[in-house]
């Protein structure tokens, strides 16, 4: 029995030695893993620091860009406001000029309306329909068609035909854009029928 006990004790001691050996090997592996883990943790910390630095730089650049953009926006607003004010001034001037031009045109139109379709030959008593004193030589049934000339004068068709016959013009029939001499002012003109 002693022998069996000794054999068992030897086997138990061998198992204990083996277990201790495994523990030592396991501890070494664990230490190796811990070392590797610590190494990786240090690398992660370094990367996090780099990332934080990059983020700070980006924030600084972004803030600087935002400040620059804000300044640019303000500058552009200022320039636009100045241009808008200049444009408003220019529009006011153009409006005033337009009003003056419209007033002048109105005066011309009113003057022409008073004299419109009155034969320019009336004032020189050459008109066959009306005298300079206002005497009328035609009745309402007569054709007293008025021709508008490019010089601005109006002349009865019959008065113009008579005038052309007197000046020996070989124009048989007036058409739009016929070139003739105005019997009133002598200018070369175009008929505007």
């Amino acid at each position: 029995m002693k022998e069996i006990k000794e054999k068992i004790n030897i086997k138990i001691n061998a198992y204990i030695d083996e277990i201790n050996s495994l523990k030592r090997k396991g501890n070494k592996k664990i230490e190796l893993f811990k070392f590797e883990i610590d190494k990786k943790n240090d690398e992660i910390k370094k990367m996090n620091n780099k990332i934080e630095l990059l983020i700070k730089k980006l924030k600084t650049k972004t803030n600087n860009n935002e400040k620059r953009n804000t300044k640019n926006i303000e500058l552009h607003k200022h320039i636009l406001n100045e241009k808008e004010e200049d444009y408003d001034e220019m529009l006011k001037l153009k409006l005033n000029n337009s009003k003056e031009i419209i007033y002048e045109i109105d005066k011309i139109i009113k003057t022409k309306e008073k004299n419109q379709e009155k034969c320019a030959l009336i004032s020189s008593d050459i008109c066959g329909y009306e005298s300079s004193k206002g005497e009328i030589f035609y009745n309402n049934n007569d054709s007293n068609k008025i021709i508008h000339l490019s010089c601005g004068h109006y002349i009865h068709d019959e008065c113009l035909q008579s005038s052309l016959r007197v000046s020996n013009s070989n124009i048989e029939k007036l058409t739009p854009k016929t070139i003739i001499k105005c019997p009133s002012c002598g200018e070369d003109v175009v008929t505007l029928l």
Side-chain angles (χ1 to χ4, degrees), residues 22-142:
L22 287 173
K23 275 185 182 178
R24 280 190 297 269
K25 285 181 183 176
N27 284 341
K28 282 183 182 176
K29 283 186 178 180
I30 288 173
E31 284 177 29
L32 234 153
F33 283 134
K34 280 183 180 178
F35 177 74
E36 288 295 320
I37 288 171
D38 288 343
K39 201 172 169 183
K40 295 293 179 190
N41 280 338
D42 285 344
E43 286 177 16
I44 289 172
K45 283 180 186 176
K46 285 179 185 176
M47 297 210 32
N48 279 338
N49 287 339
K50 284 182 181 178
I51 289 172
E52 285 178 25
L53 279 172
L54 286 172
I55 289 172
K56 284 181 184 177
K57 284 182 182 177
L58 280 174
K59 282 183 179 178
T60 304
K61 280 186 178 180
T62 302
N63 286 340
N64 288 342
N65 285 341
E66 284 177 1
K67 287 176 186 175
R68 200 174 311 122
N69 286 344
T70 303
K71 284 180 184 176
N72 284 341
I73 288 170
E74 291 302 316
L75 180 65
H76 287 295
K77 282 182 181 177
H78 179 70
I79 290 170
L80 283 174
N81 284 339
E82 283 181 357
K83 286 188 177 184
E84 193 173 294
E85 289 170 6
D86 289 346
Y87 186 71
D88 286 348
E89 262 321 291
M90 187 177 67
L91 281 178
K92 286 177 185 175
L93 286 172
K94 283 188 175 186
L95 181 65
N96 286 338
N97 287 344
S98 297
K99 285 179 180 177
E100 288 172 14
I101 290 170
I102 289 170
Y103 176 74
E104 290 299 317
I105 289 172
D106 266 354
K107 278 176 37 181
I108 291 168
I109 289 172
K110 285 177 184 172
T111 304
K112 282 197 173 190
E113 282 176 352
K114 287 178 186 174
N115 297 326
Q116 187 174 25
E117 299 190 5
K118 288 214 174 212
C119 183
L121 301 178
I122 292 173
S123 60
S124 55
D125 277 334
I126 303 174
C127 177
Y129 289 91
E130 190 175 340
S131 74
S132 60
K133 296 176 186 166
E135 298 170 290
I136 297 176
F137 307 126
Y138 67 93
N139 65 39
N140 288 337
N141 296 334
D142 287 344

